[in-house]
């Protein structure tokens, strides 16, 4: 088995202009963007939970809490007819 020959065959079969490194970096960028969205949502939830704990500790009503805007999930696609969102 000759790895150099095998690698040369793969490089010839790859689409022009798209190398493995470019494809890999694009995939990494997409996964980093998803991670950032999830991380930001998690941080917002943690801050909201701290606020809830503070209100409970002070004996205040939770109905006094400010409402947070809902975050749209960018991975869900809206239906054209009904407007609901679905996974791919």
């Amino acid at each position: 088995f000759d790895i150099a020959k095998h690698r040369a065959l793969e490089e010839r079969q790859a689409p022009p202009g798209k190398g493995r490194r470019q494809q890999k970096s694009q995939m990494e960028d997409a996964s980093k963007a998803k991670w950032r969205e999830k991380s930001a949502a998690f941080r917002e939830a943690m801050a909201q939970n701290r606020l809830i704990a503070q209100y409970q500790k002070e004996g205040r009503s939770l109905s006094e809490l400010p409402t947070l805007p809902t975050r749209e999930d960018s991975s869900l696609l809206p239906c054209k007819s009904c407007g609901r969102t679905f996974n791919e």
Side-chain angles (χ1 to χ4, degrees), residues 2-56:
D2 187 7
I3 192 70
K5 287 182 183 178
H6 184 69
R7 193 171 291 154
L9 286 174
E10 284 182 352
E11 289 175 0
R12 281 187 232 140
Q13 293 173 354
K18 294 273 185 175
R20 279 188 175 193
R21 289 184 181 168
Q22 289 175 345
Q23 290 174 349
K24 187 176 180 180
S25 68
Q26 288 173 352
M27 289 174 47
E28 287 176 354
D29 291 343
S31 66
K32 284 182 183 179
K34 288 180 185 177
W35 178 85
R36 283 189 183 115
E37 287 179 20
K38 289 180 181 179
S39 178
F42 179 70
R43 281 191 233 116
E44 288 175 6
M46 292 297 294
Q48 183 69 15
N49 285 336
R50 276 189 236 110
L51 193 59
I52 290 172
Q54 179 185 356
Y55 271 53
Q56 288 175 339

